[in-house]
Amino acid sequence: MVLETLSVFPELFEPYMSTSIMGRARTAGLFSFEAHDLRDWTHDRHRTVDDAPFGGGQGMLMKPGPIFEAVRDIVGRDQRRAHVVFFSPCGKTFAQADAQRLAQKERVLFVCGRYEGMDERVYELADEVLSMGDFVLTGGELAALCVMDAVVRLIPGALGDAMSNVDESFEGGLLEYAQYTRPASFEGREVPAVLLSGDHARIAAWRRQSAIARTAAWRPDLLGGANLTSDEWDLAYRAQRTQHEEGEADA
């Protein structure tokens, strides 16, 4: 898999993409990464990528010329088709399903905005536009790193354990189950006894119930896509009631 970024701050990417899981997967050849400097496609002495918006207003906008030239040039450098992703508050909110879909692409180019945004005309270059949520970032670099991290984790071999992705949050429409480590007793708080039993079937059942209860309490909006049985829906409703009652007690 080939991952590429286009940004006015390409130096921001290398430290993260060379560290931990990203670094090991990259060294193992599971994906390649290149950060392109948008200023390489400018033609003035100041390497200008922004200008004042028509109609007035605060801040500066990224000019269309360098972005069009850069994207066309980068896309044409490789016979493998580049899937071009832009970031904007008007984009689709990124989710795990999007990471899974992007992980199937041979090549992805992330175009990162800065300043007050980009000239509207550049979005015609995008295969899709993503948003990280209803908040504002200084630039698209952090958004691109988030998406690349989520995608690389799904590449076979990136996590080492083939089952690591299966148990993570949002797989199967649920949050991940509660987890514990040593010591088994900490300040009077005990690890659930079933996790110490060695009975893998009971542990698996407990984890399923824990995932349902946690999702019902914290992210009930996810339950509709979780394919629950009638008994599991009852468990979810009980967890929601408990959460509600505890919230009222705290108030």
Side-chain angles (χ1 to χ4, degrees):
M1 182 179 198
V2 178
L3 297 175
E4 299 174 86
T5 57
L6 178 63
S7 166
V8 292
F9 295 105
E11 67 275 11
L12 294 178
F13 295 99
E14 192 59 40
Y16 193 86
M17 298 302 289
S18 300
T19 304
S20 187
I21 291 172
M22 302 297 112
R24 290 195 297 271
R26 188 178 174 190
T27 299
L30 300 182
F31 76 97
S32 65
F33 171 72
E34 184 174 1
H36 301 282
D37 188 343
L38 179 63
R39 297 188 191 277
D40 290 343
W41 286 271
T42 59
H43 304 284
D44 65 295
R45 60 181 296 190
H46 300 294
R47 306 180 78 200
T48 307
V49 297
D50 61 334
D51 207 335
F54 284 123
Q58 299 297 315
M60 304 287 278
L61 286 178
M62 297 183 74
K63 298 164 61 175
I67 297 175
F68 268 88
E69 186 174 339
V71 170
R72 287 168 174 165
D73 185 15
I74 294 168
V75 167
R77 292 180 179 184
D78 193 315
Q79 291 185 342
R80 289 168 291 189
R81 184 186 182 281
H83 185 78
V84 181
V85 178
F86 279 64
F87 296 98
S88 169
C90 65
K92 176 186 181 296
T93 302
F94 180 71
Q96 186 67 14
D98 299 302
Q100 293 166 339
R101 177 172 49 78
L102 290 173
Q104 303 305 311
K105 304 290 184 183
E106 274 194 302
R107 186 179 175 214
V108 185
L109 170 63
F110 298 96
V111 181
C112 306
R114 275 271 164 172
Y115 314 119
E116 286 299 309
M118 295 185 282
D119 185 295
E120 188 71 15
R121 290 167 288 189
V122 304
Y123 290 107
E124 70 182 63
L125 295 167
D127 290 303
E128 65 178 305
V129 182
L130 294 174
S131 169
M132 301 311 292
D134 296 336
F135 55 92
V136 179
L137 293 172
T138 302
E141 292 84 4
L142 187 56
L145 282 169
C146 288
V147 174
M148 288 191 292
D149 186 297
V151 168
V152 169
R153 293 173 62 83
L154 297 174
I155 298 175
L159 298 182
D161 183 351
M163 295 301 293
S164 293
N165 284 318
V166 174
D167 289 336
E168 291 190 317
S169 290
F170 308 114
E171 297 296 332
L174 297 172
L175 297 180
E176 192 173 7
Y177 48 78
Q179 298 193 76
Y180 303 84
T181 188
R182 294 177 178 82
S185 178
F186 178 74
E187 295 184 353
R189 300 168 180 86
E190 306 295 328
V191 170
V194 64
L195 298 180
L196 309 177
S197 69
D199 187 328
H200 296 296
R202 288 180 59 211
I203 291 172
W206 181 90
R207 285 176 168 172
R208 172 73 176 177
Q209 293 173 354
S210 173
I212 293 168
R214 294 177 89 232
T215 305
W218 294 353
R219 288 293 305 276
D221 56 297
L222 297 175
L223 291 173
N227 192 28
L228 304 184
T229 67
S230 58
D231 287 342
E232 289 174 337
W233 274 112
D234 289 340
L235 171 62
Y237 293 140
R238 290 197 302 273
Q240 285 179 306
R241 285 198 300 271
T242 300
Q243 179 83 350
H244 179 69
E245 291 167 358
E246 290 177 349
E248 289 185 334
D250 291 339

